[in-house]
């Protein structure tokens, strides 16, 4: 009720929130308008330019294009919010864990140098999209890291109507439903008795090929219709960063590398 009152009277942190929202909206809209004025979207290869070029190809009138830009502004903001802290959080845990698992670090280096030799690349920054996709062990290690330390550890939904969950549980209208990817990643029932161990191998088949698992067992990117739209991009971004950093630097964590035990190691 307090929240509604503050919002109605445009007061306190609700006022601050609205002002902040307007600042962010204005900033993104300026980027879109500048691109439009300078015709830069025609040559740009970034996501926004591609969206703009597609929208302008549809031949909208001025009013329609203004609405499209607002829609595009919201898409861009959700991509920035969705993609910024999530990947950086995952990478922070990843480098921390890696220092505590030298064998895993060794296998990543090995996979990378084999790939670079087979592609005749001298620097990981020259790796292509397909090359990065072929890094199965690294993909597994990142997935394993996010199983134990999911960037979105808890998520919720508010029901718009009475409903029944697949297991028969009744959920009333207006109730909050939560799921915890953090707890699920540490459940013996789902991941076995070694669920507290950081084991990228659990994601690989006998040929070392990455095996994805059900979104509902591993809801790190959510599941169903509202699943993360940037999942594949996130993996590519994280892989590019990992290979570039490991190629140039030796990361040593102050106080020793990370293990699950060092950070709330209990199974659920
Ligand atoms: C490790 C990295 C990431 C994780 C763990 C992650 C996780 C998630 C989760 C849990 C959701 C569902 C949120 C909800 O509906 O309550 C989500 C949605 C979304 N994510 Fe990500 N995300 C990651 C990276 C990215 C990146 C890099 C982008 C874009 C470049 C992105 C774009 C989005 C968008 C647009 C949605 C909204 C989808 C929708 O509501 O239909 N995410 N993400």
């Amino acid at each position: 009720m307090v929240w509604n009152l503050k919002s109605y009277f445009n007061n306190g942190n609700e006022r601050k929130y609205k002002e902040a929202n307007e600042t962010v909206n204005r900033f993104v809209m300026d980027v879109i308008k500048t691109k439009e004025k300078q015709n830069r979207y025609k040559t740009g290869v970034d996501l926004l330019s591609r969206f703009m070029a597609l929208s302008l190809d549809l031949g909208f009138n001025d009013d329609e294009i203004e609405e499209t830009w607002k829609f595009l502004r919201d898409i861009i903001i959700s991509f920035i919010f969705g993609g910024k802290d999530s990947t950086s959080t995952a990478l922070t845990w990843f480098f921390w864990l890696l220092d505590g698992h030298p064998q895993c670090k060794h296998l990543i280096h090995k996979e990378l140098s084999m790939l670079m030799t087979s592609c005749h690349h001298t620097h990981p920054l020259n790796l292509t999209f397909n090359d990065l996709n072929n890094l199965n062990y690294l993909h597994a290690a990142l997935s394993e890291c996010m199983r134990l330390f999911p960037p979105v550890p808890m998520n919720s939904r508010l029901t718009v109507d009475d409903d029944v969950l697949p297991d028969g549980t009744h959920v009333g209208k207006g109730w909050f439903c939560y799921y915890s990817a953090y707890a699920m990643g540490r459940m013996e029932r789902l991941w076995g008795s070694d669920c507290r161990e950081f084991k990228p191998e659990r994601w690989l088949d006998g040929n070392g090929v990455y095996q994805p698992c059900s979104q509902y067992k591993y809801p790190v990117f959510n599941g169903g219709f509202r699943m993360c739209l940037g999942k594949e991009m996130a993996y590519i971004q994280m892989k590019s960063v990992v290979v570039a950093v490991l190629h140039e630097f030796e990361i040593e964590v102050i106080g020793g590398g990370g293990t699950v035990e060092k950070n709330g190691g209990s199974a659920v």
Side-chain angles (χ1 to χ4, degrees):
M1 210 175 104
V2 175
W3 169 39
N4 281 336
L5 279 173
K6 277 185 178 172
S7 177
Y8 183 77
F9 290 110
N10 197 22
N11 216 319
N13 45 10
E14 279 302 305
R15 185 164 57 85
K16 267 189 168 175
Y17 167 73
K18 275 183 198 153
E19 284 167 6
N21 215 1
E22 276 163 23
T23 308
V24 174
N25 282 344
R26 209 172 31 247
F27 171 77
V28 177
M29 200 50 126
D30 279 353
V31 175
I32 296 175
K33 290 277 167 74
T34 312
K35 254 188 198 295
E36 187 188 13
K37 263 194 217 125
Q38 299 174 350
N39 276 331
R40 279 197 284 127
Y41 64 91
K42 286 185 179 160
T43 48
V45 289
D46 57 279
L47 196 63
L48 174 60
S49 298
R50 284 164 195 240
F51 268 130
M52 287 180 72
L54 277 173
S55 312
L56 288 165
D57 274 358
L58 293 173
F60 288 136
N61 64 34
D62 284 354
D63 286 346
E64 285 167 336
I65 211 70
E66 199 54 35
E67 279 310 300
T68 308
W69 285 170
K70 279 191 195 147
F71 186 55
L72 201 50
R73 176 199 70 193
D74 294 345
I75 294 180
I76 296 301
I77 291 173
S78 70
F79 266 67
I80 294 173
F81 284 173
K84 187 180 149 283
D85 291 341
S86 49
T87 36
S88 46
T89 307
L91 284 170
T92 307
W93 287 115
F94 184 74
F95 286 117
W96 177 76
L97 275 175
L98 212 55
D99 193 39
H101 297 82
Q103 174 64 5
C104 172
K105 199 193 292 187
H106 166 73
L107 290 173
I108 291 174
H109 273 295
K110 193 170 154 196
E111 181 180 53
L112 182 59
S113 62
M114 275 167 66
L115 180 74
M116 291 195 16
T117 313
S118 70
C119 305
H120 308 291
H121 289 315
T122 50
H123 198 282
L125 287 183
N126 298 330
L127 290 175
T128 63
F129 177 80
N130 285 337
D131 297 334
L132 289 169
N133 266 336
N134 283 331
L135 290 168
N136 282 279
Y137 187 82
L138 178 55
H139 204 104
L142 285 164
S143 304
E144 181 68 346
C145 166
M146 291 187 286
R147 173 179 75 83
L148 293 163
F149 299 102
V152 185
M154 192 105 167
N155 203 355
S156 66
R157 288 290 184 266
L158 177 71
T159 50
V160 289
D161 222 331
D162 284 352
D163 206 349
V164 181
L165 298 183
D167 71 347
T169 308
H170 165 75
V171 190
K173 180 179 175 178
W175 292 13
F176 275 101
C177 266
Y178 291 86
Y179 71 85
S180 168
Y182 180 91
M184 286 175 71
R186 289 155 189 249
M187 275 185 176
E188 280 197 21
R189 190 154 55 87
L190 293 177
W191 297 97
S193 56
D194 60 357
C195 63
R196 276 171 240 78
E197 286 168 47
F198 175 71
K199 260 192 186 173
E201 290 71 17
R202 73 174 85 237
W203 295 86
L204 301 170
D205 69 8
N207 297 318
V209 177
Y210 177 80
Q211 299 298 309
C213 77
S214 156
Q215 307 158 7
Y216 302 106
K217 176 179 172 188
Y218 182 77
V220 166
F221 292 93
N222 207 6
F225 294 121
R226 300 306 295 263
M227 210 185 150
C228 175
L229 291 176
K231 181 180 170 199
E232 300 310 320
M233 196 192 275
Y235 271 104
I236 288 293
Q237 277 179 3
M238 292 189 290
K239 284 173 162 179
S240 324
V241 173
V242 172
V243 296
V245 169
L246 289 186
H247 186 72
E248 297 286 347
F249 301 100
E250 185 63 44
I251 293 192
E252 200 179 313
V253 178
I254 297 172
T259 58
V260 182
E261 280 72 27
K262 275 194 182 171
N263 197 282
S266 54
V268 178

